[in-house]
Amino acid sequence: GAGVSQTPSNKVTEKGKYVELRCDPISGHTALYWYRQSLGQGPEFLIYFQGTGAADDSGLPNDRFFAVRPEGSVSTLKIQRTERGDSAVYLCASSLGQGGATDTQYFGPGTRLTVL
Amino acid sequence: SQQGEEDPQALSIQEGENATMNCSYKTSINNLQWYRQNSGRGLVHLILIRSNEREKHSGRLRVTLDTSKKSSSLLITASRAADTASYFCATVGWTGANSKLTFGKGITLSVRP
């Protein structure tokens, strides 16, 4: 079946602009996660959704970052007033959301964001 | 902040040899997982070991966990060129249904044909 998809695959923007990154999880997965991966580093957690609600947004770096999941499926990560330091690969993952801590997360291919 | 520290940072071996990668972490965990990443993009889940388990096998993979030392190792036996990738350990804490992953910096494995 279809895996997690993310669009766009690459996004180049200018400092100060607004960007939206989209994630389509695996059908039926209630849990959705966003991570950010800088060059040479491991992914870092940003936000976790269970259904439509953000259950844990402790990883969002500041109030320029916001994410929504209005119908409990597709999620959009929104970044306002982008800065060069926001350049990274943004990864989305989904899981069934029923197994608790041992749920396997399935990752999308990521969106590479470059802020000039 | 990142929880895990992998060791070594880079590993180069010949096809057919075994590869051993180590990971240490700092806080109490519910489980530890290993992931593979090709070309800096999508991550693939390899294996999960719970905090009450000491060893687990999956095909050519063997993972151990020592909670007293807060460390884990991943062994890939009879390596193949296709195993060339970055490998990450990731931990999940005691946070209920939230299985957010805390990753280390990763190990770059190169398998020479």
Coordinates of all heavy atoms in Angstrom, one line a residue, chain B residues 42-110:
Chain B
G42 N 14.5 9.4 3.6 CA 13.6 8.5 4.4 C 14.3 7.5 5.4 O 15.3 6.9 5.0
L43 N 13.7 7.4 6.6 CA 14.2 6.5 7.5 C 13.4 5.2 7.5 O 12.2 5.2 7.4 CB 14.1 7.1 8.9 CG 15.1 8.2 9.3 CD1 14.4 9.3 10.1 CD2 16.3 7.6 10.0
V44 N 14.1 4.1 7.7 CA 13.5 2.8 7.7 C 13.7 2.1 9.0 O 14.9 2.0 9.5 CB 14.0 1.9 6.5 CG1 13.5 0.5 6.6 CG2 13.7 2.5 5.2
H45 N 12.6 1.7 9.6 CA 12.7 1.1 10.9 C 13.3 -0.3 10.8 O 12.9 -1.1 9.9 CB 11.3 0.9 11.5 CG 11.3 0.3 12.8 ND1 11.0 -1.1 13.0 CD2 11.4 0.7 14.1 CE1 11.0 -1.4 14.3 NE2 11.3 -0.3 15.0
L46 N 14.3 -0.7 11.6 CA 15.0 -2.0 11.5 C 14.5 -2.9 12.6 O 14.1 -4.1 12.4 CB 16.5 -1.8 11.6 CG 17.2 -1.0 10.5 CD1 18.7 -0.9 10.7 CD2 16.9 -1.7 9.1
I47 N 14.6 -2.4 13.9 CA 14.3 -3.3 15.0 C 14.1 -2.5 16.2 O 14.6 -1.4 16.4 CB 15.5 -4.3 15.2 CG1 15.2 -5.5 16.1 CG2 16.8 -3.6 15.6 CD1 16.2 -6.6 16.0
L48 N 13.2 -3.1 17.1 CA 12.9 -2.4 18.4 C 13.2 -3.4 19.5 O 12.9 -4.6 19.4 CB 11.4 -2.1 18.4 CG 10.8 -1.4 19.6 CD1 9.6 -0.6 19.2 CD2 10.3 -2.5 20.7
I49 N 13.8 -2.9 20.6 CA 14.0 -3.8 21.7 C 13.5 -3.0 23.0 O 13.7 -1.8 23.2 CB 15.5 -4.1 21.9 CG1 15.7 -5.1 23.0 CG2 16.4 -2.9 22.1 CD1 17.1 -5.8 23.0
R50 N 12.7 -3.7 23.7 CA 12.0 -3.2 24.9 C 13.0 -3.1 26.1 O 14.0 -3.9 26.1 CB 10.8 -4.0 25.3 CG 9.7 -3.9 24.3 CD 8.5 -4.8 24.8 NE 7.3 -4.6 24.0 CZ 7.1 -5.1 22.8 NH1 8.0 -5.9 22.3 NH2 5.9 -4.9 22.2
S51 N 12.7 -2.3 27.0 CA 13.7 -2.1 28.2 C 13.9 -3.3 29.0 O 14.9 -3.5 29.7 CB 13.2 -0.9 29.0 OG 11.9 -1.2 29.6
N52 N 12.9 -4.3 28.9 CA 13.0 -5.5 29.7 C 13.6 -6.7 28.9 O 13.6 -7.8 29.4 CB 11.7 -5.9 30.3 CG 10.6 -6.2 29.3 OD1 10.9 -6.0 28.1 ND2 9.5 -6.7 29.7
E53 N 14.0 -6.4 27.7 CA 14.7 -7.4 26.9 C 16.2 -7.1 26.8 O 16.6 -6.0 27.0 CB 14.1 -7.3 25.4 CG 12.6 -7.6 25.4 CD 12.0 -7.5 24.0 OE1 12.3 -6.5 23.3 OE2 11.3 -8.4 23.6
R54 N 16.9 -8.2 26.6 CA 18.4 -8.0 26.6 C 19.0 -8.2 25.2 O 20.0 -7.7 24.8 CB 19.0 -9.0 27.5 CG 18.7 -8.7 29.0 CD 19.4 -7.3 29.4 NE 18.8 -6.8 30.6 CZ 17.9 -5.9 30.7 NH1 17.4 -5.3 29.6 NH2 17.4 -5.5 31.8
E55 N 18.3 -9.0 24.4 CA 18.8 -9.3 23.0 C 17.6 -9.6 22.1 O 16.6 -10.2 22.5 CB 19.7 -10.5 23.1 CG 20.5 -10.9 21.8 CD 21.5 -11.9 22.0 OE1 22.3 -11.9 23.0 OE2 21.6 -12.9 21.2
K56 N 17.8 -9.3 20.8 CA 16.8 -9.5 19.9 C 17.4 -9.8 18.5 O 18.4 -9.1 18.2 CB 15.8 -8.4 19.8 CG 14.4 -8.7 19.3 CD 13.4 -7.7 19.7 CE 12.0 -8.0 19.3 NZ 11.1 -7.0 19.6
H57 N 16.8 -10.6 17.7 CA 17.3 -10.9 16.4 C 16.3 -10.7 15.3 O 15.1 -10.9 15.6 CB 17.7 -12.4 16.3 CG 18.8 -12.8 17.2 ND1 20.1 -13.0 16.8 CD2 18.8 -13.0 18.6 CE1 20.9 -13.4 17.9 NE2 20.1 -13.3 19.0
S58 N 16.7 -10.3 14.2 CA 15.9 -10.1 13.0 C 16.7 -10.3 11.8 O 17.5 -9.4 11.4 CB 15.2 -8.7 13.0 OG 14.4 -8.6 11.8
G59 N 16.6 -11.5 11.1 CA 17.4 -11.8 10.0 C 18.9 -11.7 10.3 O 19.4 -12.3 11.2
R60 N 19.6 -10.8 9.6 CA 21.0 -10.6 9.8 C 21.3 -9.6 10.9 O 22.5 -9.3 11.2 CB 21.7 -10.2 8.5 CG 21.7 -11.2 7.4 CD 22.5 -10.7 6.1 NE 21.9 -9.6 5.5 CZ 22.5 -8.4 5.5 NH1 23.7 -8.2 6.0 NH2 21.9 -7.4 4.9
L61 N 20.3 -9.1 11.5 CA 20.5 -8.1 12.6 C 20.4 -8.7 14.0 O 19.5 -9.6 14.2 CB 19.4 -7.0 12.5 CG 19.3 -6.3 11.2 CD1 18.1 -5.3 11.2 CD2 20.6 -5.6 10.7
R62 N 21.3 -8.3 14.9 CA 21.2 -8.7 16.3 C 21.4 -7.4 17.1 O 22.4 -6.7 16.9 CB 22.3 -9.7 16.6 CG 22.4 -10.0 18.1 CD 23.5 -11.1 18.3 NE 23.8 -11.2 19.7 CZ 24.9 -10.7 20.3 NH1 25.8 -10.1 19.6 NH2 25.1 -10.9 21.6
V63 N 20.5 -7.1 18.0 CA 20.6 -6.0 18.8 C 20.6 -6.4 20.3 O 19.9 -7.4 20.7 CB 19.4 -5.0 18.6 CG1 18.1 -5.6 18.9 CG2 19.7 -3.7 19.3
T64 N 21.5 -5.8 21.1 CA 21.5 -6.0 22.5 C 21.2 -4.7 23.2 O 21.4 -3.6 22.7 CB 22.9 -6.5 22.9 OG1 23.9 -5.5 22.6 CG2 23.2 -7.8 22.2
L65 N 20.8 -4.9 24.4 CA 20.5 -3.7 25.3 C 20.9 -4.0 26.7 O 20.6 -5.0 27.3 CB 18.9 -3.4 25.3 CG 18.5 -2.2 26.1 CD1 19.0 -0.9 25.6 CD2 16.9 -2.2 26.2
D66 N 21.7 -3.0 27.3 CA 22.2 -3.1 28.6 C 21.7 -1.9 29.3 O 22.3 -0.8 29.2 CB 23.7 -3.2 28.7 CG 24.2 -3.4 30.1 OD1 23.5 -3.1 31.1 OD2 25.3 -4.0 30.2
T67 N 20.6 -2.0 30.1 CA 20.0 -0.8 30.7 C 20.8 -0.3 31.9 O 20.8 0.9 32.2 CB 18.5 -1.0 31.2 OG1 18.5 -2.2 32.0 CG2 17.6 -1.3 30.0
S68 N 21.6 -1.2 32.5 CA 22.5 -0.7 33.6 C 23.6 0.2 33.1 O 24.0 1.1 33.8 CB 23.1 -1.9 34.3 OG 24.0 -2.6 33.5
K69 N 24.0 0.0 31.8 CA 25.1 0.8 31.2 C 24.5 1.8 30.3 O 25.2 2.6 29.7 CB 26.1 -0.1 30.5 CG 26.9 -1.0 31.4 CD 27.9 -1.8 30.5 CE 28.7 -2.7 31.4 NZ 29.6 -3.6 30.7
K70 N 23.1 1.8 30.1 CA 22.5 2.7 29.2 C 23.1 2.6 27.8 O 23.6 3.6 27.2 CB 22.4 4.1 29.7 CG 21.5 4.3 30.9 CD 21.4 5.8 31.3 CE 20.3 6.0 32.3 NZ 20.5 5.3 33.6
S71 N 23.2 1.4 27.3 CA 23.9 1.2 26.0 C 23.2 0.1 25.2 O 22.6 -0.8 25.8 CB 25.4 0.9 26.2 OG 25.6 -0.3 26.8
S72 N 23.4 0.2 23.9 CA 22.9 -0.8 23.0 C 23.9 -1.0 21.9 O 24.7 -0.1 21.6 CB 21.6 -0.3 22.4 OG 21.1 -1.2 21.4
S73 N 23.9 -2.2 21.3 CA 24.7 -2.4 20.1 C 23.9 -3.1 19.0 O 22.9 -3.8 19.3 CB 25.9 -3.3 20.4 OG 25.5 -4.6 20.7
L74 N 24.2 -2.8 17.8 CA 23.6 -3.4 16.6 C 24.7 -4.1 15.8 O 25.7 -3.5 15.5 CB 22.9 -2.3 15.7 CG 22.4 -2.8 14.4 CD1 21.2 -3.7 14.6 CD2 22.0 -1.6 13.5
L75 N 24.4 -5.4 15.6 CA 25.4 -6.2 14.8 C 24.7 -6.6 13.5 O 23.6 -7.1 13.5 CB 25.7 -7.5 15.6 CG 26.5 -8.5 14.8 CD1 27.9 -8.1 14.4 CD2 26.6 -9.8 15.6
I76 N 25.4 -6.3 12.4 CA 24.9 -6.7 11.1 C 25.9 -7.8 10.6 O 27.1 -7.5 10.5 CB 24.9 -5.6 10.1 CG1 24.0 -4.4 10.5 CG2 24.4 -6.1 8.7 CD1 24.0 -3.2 9.6
T77 N 25.4 -9.0 10.4 CA 26.3 -10.1 10.0 C 26.3 -10.2 8.5 O 25.4 -9.8 7.8 CB 25.8 -11.4 10.6 OG1 24.5 -11.7 10.2 CG2 25.8 -11.4 12.1
A78 N 27.4 -10.7 8.0 CA 27.6 -11.0 6.6 C 27.2 -9.7 5.8 O 26.3 -9.8 4.9 CB 26.8 -12.2 6.2
S79 N 27.8 -8.6 6.0 CA 27.4 -7.4 5.4 C 27.4 -7.4 3.9 O 28.2 -8.2 3.3 CB 28.2 -6.2 5.9 OG 29.6 -6.4 5.5
R80 N 26.6 -6.6 3.3 CA 26.5 -6.5 1.8 C 26.7 -5.0 1.4 O 26.4 -4.1 2.2 CB 25.1 -7.0 1.4 CG 24.7 -8.3 1.8 CD 23.2 -8.6 1.6 NE 22.8 -9.9 2.1 CZ 21.6 -10.3 2.3 NH1 20.6 -9.5 2.0 NH2 21.3 -11.5 2.7
A81 N 27.0 -4.8 0.2 CA 27.2 -3.4 -0.3 C 25.9 -2.6 -0.1 O 25.9 -1.4 0.2 CB 27.6 -3.4 -1.8
A82 N 24.7 -3.3 -0.2 CA 23.4 -2.6 0.0 C 23.2 -2.2 1.4 O 22.3 -1.4 1.7 CB 22.3 -3.5 -0.5
D83 N 24.0 -2.6 2.3 CA 23.9 -2.2 3.7 C 24.5 -0.8 4.0 O 24.4 -0.2 5.0 CB 24.5 -3.2 4.7 CG 23.9 -4.5 4.7 OD1 22.6 -4.6 4.5 OD2 24.6 -5.5 4.9
T84 N 25.2 -0.3 2.9 CA 25.8 1.0 3.0 C 24.7 2.1 3.3 O 23.8 2.2 2.5 CB 26.6 1.4 1.8 OG1 27.7 0.5 1.6 CG2 27.1 2.8 1.8
A85 N 24.8 2.8 4.4 CA 23.8 3.7 4.8 C 24.2 4.4 6.1 O 25.3 4.1 6.7 CB 22.4 3.0 5.0
S86 N 23.4 5.3 6.6 CA 23.6 5.8 7.9 C 22.6 5.1 8.9 O 21.5 4.8 8.5 CB 23.2 7.3 8.0 OG 24.2 8.1 7.2
Y87 N 23.1 4.8 10.1 CA 22.3 4.0 11.1 C 22.1 4.9 12.3 O 23.1 5.5 12.8 CB 23.0 2.7 11.4 CG 22.9 1.7 10.2 CD1 23.9 1.9 9.2 CD2 22.0 0.8 10.2 CE1 23.8 1.0 8.1 CE2 21.9 -0.1 9.1 CZ 22.8 0.0 8.1 OH 22.8 -0.8 7.0
F88 N 20.9 4.9 12.8 CA 20.6 5.8 14.0 C 20.0 4.9 15.0 O 19.1 4.1 14.7 CB 19.6 6.9 13.6 CG 20.1 7.9 12.7 CD1 20.0 7.7 11.3 CD2 20.7 9.0 13.1 CE1 20.5 8.7 10.4 CE2 21.2 10.0 12.3 CZ 21.1 9.8 10.9
C89 N 20.4 5.1 16.3 CA 19.6 4.6 17.4 C 18.6 5.7 17.9 O 18.9 6.9 17.8 CB 20.5 4.1 18.5 SG 21.3 5.3 19.5
A90 N 17.5 5.3 18.4 CA 16.5 6.2 18.8 C 15.8 5.6 20.0 O 15.5 4.4 20.1 CB 15.5 6.5 17.7
T91 N 15.6 6.4 21.0 CA 14.9 6.0 22.3 C 13.5 6.5 22.4 O 13.2 7.6 21.9 CB 15.8 6.3 23.5 OG1 15.9 7.8 23.5 CG2 17.1 5.7 23.5
V92 N 12.7 5.8 23.1 CA 11.4 6.2 23.5 C 11.3 6.2 25.0 O 11.6 5.2 25.6 CB 10.3 5.4 22.8 CG1 8.9 5.8 23.3 CG2 10.4 5.4 21.3
G93 N 10.9 7.3 25.6 CA 10.8 7.4 27.0 C 9.4 6.9 27.5 O 8.6 6.3 26.8
W94 N 9.2 7.1 28.8 CA 7.9 6.7 29.4 C 6.9 7.8 29.3 O 6.7 8.6 30.3 CB 8.2 6.3 30.9 CG 9.1 5.1 31.0 CD1 10.5 5.1 31.2 CD2 8.7 3.7 30.9 NE1 10.9 3.8 31.2 CE2 9.9 3.0 31.0 CE3 7.5 3.1 30.7 CZ2 9.9 1.6 31.0 CZ3 7.5 1.7 30.7 CH2 8.7 1.0 30.8
T95 N 6.4 8.0 28.1 CA 5.5 9.1 27.9 C 4.1 8.6 27.4 O 3.5 9.3 26.6 CB 6.1 10.0 26.8 OG1 6.5 9.2 25.7 CG2 7.3 10.8 27.4
G96 N 3.7 7.5 27.9 CA 2.3 7.0 27.6 C 2.2 6.7 26.1 O 3.1 6.0 25.6
A97 N 1.2 7.2 25.4 CA 0.9 6.8 24.1 C 1.9 7.5 23.1 O 1.9 7.2 21.9 CB -0.5 7.1 23.7
N98 N 2.5 8.6 23.6 CA 3.4 9.3 22.7 C 4.7 8.6 22.5 O 5.5 8.5 23.4 CB 3.7 10.7 23.4 CG 4.6 11.6 22.5 OD1 5.1 11.2 21.5 ND2 4.7 12.8 23.0
S99 N 4.9 8.1 21.3 CA 6.1 7.3 21.1 C 7.2 8.2 20.3 O 7.8 7.7 19.4 CB 5.8 6.0 20.3 OG 5.2 6.2 19.1
K100 N 7.3 9.4 20.7 CA 8.2 10.3 20.0 C 9.6 9.7 20.2 O 10.0 9.3 21.2 CB 8.2 11.7 20.5 CG 8.6 11.9 21.9 CD 8.5 13.4 22.3 CE 9.0 13.7 23.7 NZ 8.8 15.1 24.1
L101 N 10.4 9.8 19.1 CA 11.7 9.2 19.1 C 12.8 10.3 19.3 O 12.7 11.4 18.8 CB 12.0 8.6 17.7 CG 11.1 7.4 17.3 CD1 11.1 7.2 15.8 CD2 11.5 6.2 18.0
T102 N 13.8 10.0 20.1 CA 14.9 10.8 20.4 C 16.1 10.1 19.8 O 16.5 9.1 20.2 CB 15.1 11.1 21.9 OG1 13.9 11.6 22.4 CG2 16.3 12.0 22.1
F103 N 16.7 10.7 18.7 CA 17.7 10.1 17.9 C 19.1 10.5 18.3 O 19.3 11.6 18.9 CB 17.5 10.5 16.4 CG 16.4 9.9 15.7 CD1 15.1 10.4 15.8 CD2 16.6 8.7 15.0 CE1 14.1 9.9 15.1 CE2 15.5 8.1 14.3 CZ 14.3 8.7 14.4
G104 N 20.1 9.7 18.0 CA 21.5 10.0 18.1 C 21.9 10.7 16.8 O 21.1 10.9 15.9
K105 N 23.2 10.9 16.7 CA 23.7 11.6 15.5 C 23.9 10.7 14.3 O 24.1 11.1 13.2 CB 25.0 12.3 15.8 CG 24.8 13.5 16.7 CD 26.2 14.3 17.0 CE 25.9 15.5 17.9 NZ 27.2 16.2 18.1
G106 N 24.0 9.4 14.6 CA 24.1 8.5 13.5 C 25.5 7.9 13.2 O 26.5 8.6 13.6
I107 N 25.6 6.8 12.6 CA 26.8 6.2 12.2 C 26.7 6.0 10.7 O 25.7 5.4 10.2 CB 27.0 4.8 12.9 CG1 27.1 5.0 14.4 CG2 28.2 4.1 12.3 CD1 27.0 3.7 15.1
T108 N 27.8 6.4 10.0 CA 27.9 6.1 8.5 C 28.6 4.8 8.3 O 29.8 4.7 8.6 CB 28.6 7.3 7.9 OG1 27.9 8.5 8.1 CG2 28.6 7.1 6.3
L109 N 27.9 3.9 7.7 CA 28.5 2.6 7.4 C 28.8 2.5 5.9 O 27.8 2.7 5.1 CB 27.6 1.4 7.8 CG 28.0 0.0 7.4 CD1 29.3 -0.4 8.1 CD2 26.9 -1.0 7.7
S110 N 30.0 2.2 5.5 CA 30.3 1.9 4.1 C 30.8 0.5 4.0 O 31.7 0.0 4.7 CB 31.5 2.8 3.7 OG 31.1 4.2 3.8

